[in-house]
Amino acid sequence: MSKYIFITGGVVSSLGKGISGASIGKLLQLRGFKVNMIKFDPYINIDPGTMNPYQHGEVFVTADGAESDLDLGTYERFLDVYTSKANTNTAGDIYKTVINRERRGDYDGATVQVIPHITDEIKKRFAALKNKCDISIIEIGGTVGDIEGLPFMEAARQFQLENKKEDIFSIHVTLVPYIAGAHELKTKPTQHSVNKLREIGISPDMIICRTEYHLDESLKRKISLFCNVKKECVIEAMDAPSIYFIPEAFYDQKVDSLIIEELNMKTKKKFDKTWFTKIKSLGEFNKTVKVAVVGKYADLKDAYKSIDESLNIAATELKAKAEIHYLGAEDKDLVRKLKDFDAILVPGGFGNRGVEGKIKAITYARKNKIPFLGICLGMQCSVIEASRNLAKLKNANSTEFDETTKYPVIKILEEQKNVSYRGGTMRLGNYKAEIKKDALAHNLYKSIAIEERHRHRYEMNPEFIDILEKVGLSVTAYHKGVLPEIVEIKDHPFFLGVQFHPEFASRPMKAHPIFKGFLSAALKVSK
Ligand code: GLN
């Protein structure tokens, strides 16, 4: 059996198609089905790796090293699964595959066209994971009517034609705006959006309406009639205090049973509501922990989506609420602002901008014994900080920011240049590391062998390890005994820098040990 659920969006972008898809996936998973989610992004970039987080939010890295859309993080967290390269596709990558094939002469002299060559490649990718699951949930990025999305919509239409009706369920996510002056919710944008979709040849089986207010029965009936969708398949999606409450809101509207029925499937097991109860109980807390995230993209939370999620997940397990503030690393007043916080986190990043501010924040955390977590660039900054201020290596730096520095404490290692890593010189995806016994990290992981996701080019320079260890910054984990993975300062409540990205591995009810340890230390010193 291979069944498919297609999710398209209309009216405006950012409607949370990913969250809707993941919530439906969760319900189907709780019914015993094996679900996979595949994202299709219609832009020309090969992957979002090179895109500015302001445009696209965080780059989520899969265990097998794909640089992908942040929706894959949502899928992983909701479904507690590991996605891979096959779960993320872009128009750029699809065109590249077709063009490479054309260059090799594989098309035998044919004129290579959007239909059928591009659409064939898209359809192949729709079905890529069919043998690994019962249901593939396919999310097409963008909004219906976008020029670049057309080949994807066309492929979805053809896919319907070539498969049995009972194997495909189509969901359209739209917005039902509230017009304050008229005190009214408006269905017209939804009607237009569904019309557009039907022009392409796709008739949705379900409409998920994002709305600020309840949809009454007459409104649902209106949408049902105008859009040719059964009334019970007009679903209300109100803003929720937590995205993890959405599966239950959908369950209450029978979203899963409606889909199962339409797809002619048999529920594999009795619905177990424990997940809903557990998720709800996580919202109970009696203390607050204030965390400063000092980064380049202070005004865009999505740029640090997985970090935000990881902190929230860890805090709830500690029965606390994480109050997370994003502080701009270039803010002149940064150090003064840090005085209000229980913990300081410096996240990953690329490029020079804000680096000196991040280093100042680390000096502050180190000297004032504020729990500190440095991730990737944040870890590299902590090495620079200790080199300059503890080891007195004047102007020590990463060669990413100063190619001619006398003390290149972070650099691209020769060994690394010779290794053919996935993604060229970038270390991407899962790499193993071995932690030293009795290190803080060992205490947190309760294990020596770990495997975590990476996304970086530069490494801590092993030539400086001895000097830094003498002044208190020790390397407590290595990859293959050579590449430093974790640094720590002992005489401190919590000072940890990690070359990898633990934020990609957090799951609700399964907080990552590093985030849990970090916030637990913060709660101890909490003001
Ligand atoms: N810019 C640094 C590097 O390439 C850190 C990357 C990151 O933080 N993801 O090594």
Side-chain angles (χ1 to χ4, degrees):
M1 175 182 69
S2 44
K3 304 278 183 181
Y4 301 88
I5 298 175
F6 281 85
I7 303 191
T8 54
V11 185
V12 289
S13 57
S14 308
L15 283 177
K17 291 193 292 289
I19 294 170
S20 294
S23 300
I24 290 169
K26 187 76 216 173
L27 292 179
L28 295 168
Q29 192 187 53
L30 291 173
R31 286 205 179 268
F33 293 107
K34 199 153 185 276
V35 186
N36 236 312
M37 312 215 37
I38 316 180
K39 176 88 199 268
F40 287 81
D41 275 311
Y43 47 71
I44 306 292
N45 302 59
I46 301 292
D47 60 45
T50 55
M51 280 161 94
N52 184 336
Y54 269 125
Q55 302 247 328
H56 197 267
E58 108 183 336
V59 173
F60 186 83
V61 182
T62 62
D64 67 345
E67 294 178 277
S68 78
D69 185 85
L70 55 78
D71 276 333
L72 258 64
T74 308
Y75 303 163
E76 289 206 359
R77 284 185 289 268
F78 267 82
L79 302 177
D80 194 8
V81 293
Y82 290 95
T83 56
S84 70
K85 284 194 165 84
N87 296 81
T88 170
N89 300 276
T90 68
D93 188 37
I94 287 162
Y95 273 81
K96 192 173 153 219
T97 304
V98 171
I99 291 169
N100 285 344
R101 224 177 262 151
E102 184 273 335
R103 290 290 83 187
R104 283 200 309 266
D106 292 358
Y107 290 113
D108 238 359
T111 306
V112 180
Q113 295 177 299
V114 173
I115 304 170
H117 302 101
I118 296 294
T119 47
D120 278 354
E121 179 60 24
I122 298 175
K123 285 186 286 180
K124 196 169 127 202
R125 295 182 187 214
F126 285 163
L129 296 171
K130 70 171 184 190
N131 296 328
K132 295 200 169 138
C133 62
D134 302 313
I135 309 161
S136 299
I137 303 183
I138 290 161
E139 182 195 336
I140 299 180
T143 307
V144 62
D146 293 348
I147 291 178
E148 55 186 15
L150 275 174
F152 293 89
M153 299 293 178
E154 168 63 18
R157 185 193 62 75
Q158 294 175 12
F159 200 75
Q160 285 179 358
L161 185 73
E162 291 161 1
N163 286 277
K164 284 197 217 129
K165 173 69 196 96
E166 62 167 34
D167 288 344
I168 295 174
F169 192 85
S170 169
I171 301 177
H172 193 53
V173 184
T174 72
L175 177 73
V176 178
Y178 179 73
I179 306 293
H183 297 296
E184 238 187 310
L185 286 167
K186 292 291 185 190
T187 66
K188 195 70 82 192
T190 298
Q191 295 176 36
H192 281 302
S193 180
V194 171
N195 275 346
K196 192 92 207 146
L197 199 60
R198 286 165 69 191
E199 265 172 36
I200 298 167
I202 299 173
S203 271
D205 301 296
M206 179 176 278
I207 299 181
I208 294 182
C209 306
R210 285 299 305 275
T211 170
E212 285 174 61
Y213 296 93
H214 281 295
L215 304 181
D216 62 24
E217 288 308 304
S218 71
L219 216 101
K220 282 191 179 175
R221 187 170 142 78
K222 196 167 166 185
I223 295 175
S224 154
L225 290 176
F226 276 104
C227 301
N228 200 36
V229 167
K230 287 180 192 156
K231 191 164 132 256
E232 62 272 27
C233 287
V234 178
I235 306 300
E236 169 191 289
M238 297 239 304
D239 296 342
S242 156
I243 53 170
Y244 299 109
F245 294 171
I246 295 172
E248 187 169 7
F250 283 1
Y251 174 83
D252 291 341
Q253 297 177 74
K254 303 198 169 39
V255 169
D256 49 330
S257 352
L258 289 162
I259 294 175
I260 288 170
E261 196 186 308
E262 283 290 317
L263 287 176
N264 202 12
M265 296 190 299
K266 293 228 164 14
T267 299
K268 291 207 171 168
K269 64 178 186 197
K270 201 173 159 294
F271 199 90
D272 179 5
K273 286 191 181 178
T274 326
W275 193 82
F276 296 160
T277 338
K278 280 195 187 151
I279 281 287
K280 272 207 191 117
S281 72
L282 292 179
E284 294 153 14
F285 49 82
N286 46 28
K287 43 195 186 262
T288 304
V289 58
K290 279 185 89 175
V291 189
V293 176
V294 181
K296 198 155 76 167
Y297 306 103
D299 35 9
L300 186 80
K301 217 171 102 179
D302 265 1
Y304 304 113
K305 177 94 184 143
S306 293
I307 288 183
D308 201 80
E309 285 277 329
S310 297
L311 289 169
N312 282 319
I313 289 170
T316 49
E317 279 186 30
L318 296 163
K319 292 276 167 238
K321 180 175 168 44
E323 208 184 283
I324 309 163
H325 291 251
Y326 292 87
L327 305 183
E330 290 171 299
D331 185 340
K332 299 254 171 316
D333 217 11
L334 175 66
V335 173
R336 193 194 54 78
K337 288 184 181 164
L338 288 175
K339 295 197 166 63
D340 294 336
F341 290 92
D342 306 318
I344 297 172
L345 189 154
V346 177
F350 292 81
N352 204 1
R353 199 158 65 72
V355 163
E356 292 304 320
K358 291 175 192 176
I359 293 171
K360 277 198 190 103
I362 297 170
T363 310
Y364 178 83
R366 180 175 60 75
K367 285 191 173 164
N368 294 284
K369 306 237 183 287
I370 313 289
F372 164 77
L373 174 60
I375 295 178
C376 208
L377 178 62
M379 172 267 201
Q380 297 176 356
C381 286
S382 73
V383 171
I384 300 172
E385 197 278 331
S387 308
R388 288 183 190 172
N389 301 328
L390 291 176
K392 306 291 175 207
L393 304 176
K394 202 165 170 251
N395 295 329
N397 216 331
S398 161
T399 53
E400 182 179 3
F401 315 125
D402 179 0
E403 273 181 53
T404 57
T405 173
K406 194 167 160 204
Y407 305 111
V409 290
I410 306 289
K411 67 172 196 175
I412 299 185
L413 300 181
E414 281 309 312
E415 302 89 297
Q416 190 174 339
K417 284 184 193 161
N418 300 330
V419 179
S420 77
Y421 287 117
R422 292 172 288 224
T425 54
M426 185 98 105
R427 204 145 62 108
L428 276 172
N430 263 10
Y431 283 85
K432 293 195 169 110
E434 213 163 276
I435 307 177
K436 286 191 180 157
K437 253 192 137 166
D438 301 325
L440 168 61
H442 179 221
N443 217 348
L444 299 172
Y445 279 98
K446 310 258 179 286
S447 153
I448 299 260
I450 58 164
E451 192 166 15
E452 293 278 7
R453 295 182 216 188
H454 292 66
R455 180 177 179 244
H456 58 104
R457 208 163 266 123
Y458 295 80
E459 309 275 353
M460 178 178 180
N461 186 346
E463 287 167 35
F464 291 91
I465 294 175
D466 278 351
I467 302 174
L468 287 167
E469 293 205 328
K470 276 192 195 111
V471 294
L473 184 98
S474 0
V475 176
T476 57
Y478 287 93
H479 169 66
K480 289 198 171 154
V482 274
L483 296 178
E485 292 275 357
I486 302 181
V487 294
E488 299 179 13
I489 289 181
K490 265 213 171 70
D491 180 24
H492 193 282
F494 189 105
F495 192 103
L496 196 81
V498 291
Q499 186 55 84
F500 47 83
H501 291 271
E503 70 270 27
F504 297 140
S506 297
R507 308 278 196 262
M509 298 178 271
K510 278 191 197 164
H512 191 288
I514 286 187
F515 284 93
K516 203 162 166 183
F518 174 53
L519 292 191
S520 161
L523 281 164
K524 280 187 198 131
V525 301
S526 179
K527 286 147 203 148

